[in-house]
Amino acid sequence: MSLNTSNSNYFQQMTPKKLVEITIKKGQGQLTNSGSLAINTGKFTGRSPKDRFIVEEDITKGVLNWGEINISISSENYRKLKDDILKYLEGKEIYTRFANAGALKKYQLRLEVITEYAWSNLFAYNMFIRPEEKELENFRKDWTIIDAPGFMADPGVHGTRQSNFAILSFSEKTVLIGGTGYTGEIKKGIFSALNFILPTEHDVLPMHCSANVGKNKDTAIFFGLSGTGKTTLSADPNRKLVGDDEHGWTPEGQIFNFEGGCYAKVIDLDKKSEPDIYNAIHVGALLENVIIKNGEVDFKDISITQNTRVSYPINHIDNIQVPSVGENPENIFFLTADAFGVLPPVSKLTKNQAAYHFISGYTSKIAGTEAGINEPVPSFSACFGEPFMPLHPTIYAEMLSEKIERSDANVWLINTGWTGGAYGVGSRIKLEYTRAMVNAILDGKLDKTYSYEKYHIHSVFGVAQPRSCPGVPDKVLSPRATWDNDEAYYTAAFKLSNAFRINFAKFESYANEEIRRGGPQRFDF
Ligand code: ATP
Ligand code: MN
């Protein structure tokens, strides 16, 4: 069964303006004073990882890293679900759009995004790459996304966990989304597809990272889990933005964006400290789950969710790289928001430490992008994006190590989390300081090689902590110094290093001795 395209209520390739009009006419959203559209995504204001399934079929069966992250569902259940969604959409006004994923033609996926709501289609317009007019004439899609927030699955009939789901079928090249209006499911569905296709078919490493390039064409990439600062730190007026969240690293030595837009958190958004993102919010931008007072967005009001968001096409940012492609990165940042306040705000990693930290993917969850997480908890997510990685994490980790080796990129660990104590005692490190550290590195002001004069080796984590950095007080660079209580500091540090080792146990058999030595409390600089 396929979608009946003769349906008179089938709206194709609508302009953003029209999608906004329809949304407002249907009472599903409102315009803000900036001209952007604000909508509510409904019950779900974050992704729901426990309801993300992949169809178990010939292509995926023996290849996927099945488990609690890549949850399997049968072809029969997938089929029933698809039939029922199509029946549900039959006769409704629906919105379809052709779009691309992947800035390099060679690695691009052509998509058709079919949505029940006009605003979900606006999200697809903002976030995917917009095909040129002439591409649309003979557009042959590879993948289809069907997004029906109003359709509720029946776990007894469809084999889902509850009424909401996001399901990928690699044989059908389809993503089915239902029971949730959270737009992030649309982009992360295709990200997951690419994370399987690119390494297995093209030897391209897919990465959950942002990227930008400097005046000398030097590329920087920023890995990190949700809320660690990928979007924030890559939006830098002095560098051209390549992309916000998802990139590939090709065998030819290029970094390319998968997307055509940015999806930024707007909690506490401040014009002064984040001007690029603030100024991008105008006509065409789609705000999610924010509170509006007299037409103005109150970015401090998180009464719906802490995960308030905005999506906009990448050209809403002034300084962008066109096309969204950069060269081999010179600097790679691993961002972590450490709520223990233990990790140094900036440190240089050896190649082994880089491999160790990439597989570990440490951060502390703060304020949920995922349903049900509101308290800070330490969290490990391999490759800084395990929920989106269908293959075993070590496959991506090996590819990254090999690429770091070949390109001789420098890897830095940036703690954008707590300083002066753990969450509750200390405070989040000032964005101004983090930016100063990142800029110092990008401007070549922090040495790339170890020397005692320039670096202190952290006694628990073994990473090289700079003794000074332009724009940052020396004391801030030493987490121990900011605590003013050595005993409490080391107790917390060992607690965290223990958590690292317990988590790493599951990768131990894959990691060689060198990578293992990249872990805490070892010296192999
Ligand atoms: P996602 O994967 O969910 O898109 P992300 O890695 O892009 O997450 P950001 O959207 O950049 O994360 O979120 C970082 C948040 O933390 C922003 O709201 C930013 O203002 C805030 N923040 C506070 N202090 C810092 C800091 N020192 N460095 C970076 N971000 C900070
Ligand atoms: Mn982001």
Side-chain angles (χ1 to χ4, degrees), residues 187-188 208 210 224-232 234 244-245 262-265 309:
K187 81 180 208 98
K188 285 299 197 311
H208 187 214
S210 59
L225 288 155
S226 187
T228 58
K230 292 183 298 300
T231 301
T232 305
S234 60
D244 171 63
D245 194 57
C262 307
Y263 192 39
K265 285 177 177 290
R309 293 266 180 174

Side-chain angles (χ1 to χ4, degrees), residues 16-17 20 24 30-39 122 125-126 130 262 264 266 269 271 274-288 290 295-297 299 309-320:
K17 190 165 171 251
V20 169
I24 290 169
Q30 68 179 106
L31 278 184
T32 71
N33 292 348
S34 69
S36 48
L37 175 67
I39 56 96
L122 180 61
Y125 175 89
N126 286 350
R130 295 153 289 279
C262 307
V266 293
L269 183 67
K271 189 177 179 165
E274 295 182 67
D276 297 73
I277 296 171
Y278 189 94
N279 293 326
I281 306 177
H282 52 76
V283 178
L286 177 65
L287 288 152
E288 297 178 10
V290 292
E296 289 296 325
V297 181
F299 291 113
R309 293 266 180 174
V310 64
S311 67
Y312 45 80
I314 190 165
N315 54 27
H316 280 213
I317 297 281
D318 284 337
N319 204 7
I320 58 169

Side-chain angles (χ1 to χ4, degrees), residues 225-277:
L225 288 155
S226 187
T228 58
K230 292 183 298 300
T231 301
T232 305
L233 297 172
S234 60
D236 174 341
N238 295 315
R239 297 175 61 85
K240 290 184 172 175
L241 182 66
V242 179
D244 171 63
D245 194 57
E246 308 169 2
H247 292 82
W249 191 342
T250 71
E252 296 84 20
Q254 289 167 303
I255 298 291
F256 71 100
N257 190 2
F258 295 166
E259 303 182 286
C262 307
Y263 192 39
K265 285 177 177 290
V266 293
I267 180 173
D268 293 332
L269 183 67
D270 172 60
K271 189 177 179 165
K272 267 214 195 88
S273 59
E274 295 182 67
D276 297 73
I277 296 171

Side-chain angles (χ1 to χ4, degrees), residues 6-18:
S6 62
N7 191 325
S8 59
N9 298 323
Y10 184 92
F11 297 100
Q12 199 161 5
Q13 220 71 15
M14 305 243 86
T15 61
K17 190 165 171 251
K18 194 79 199 157

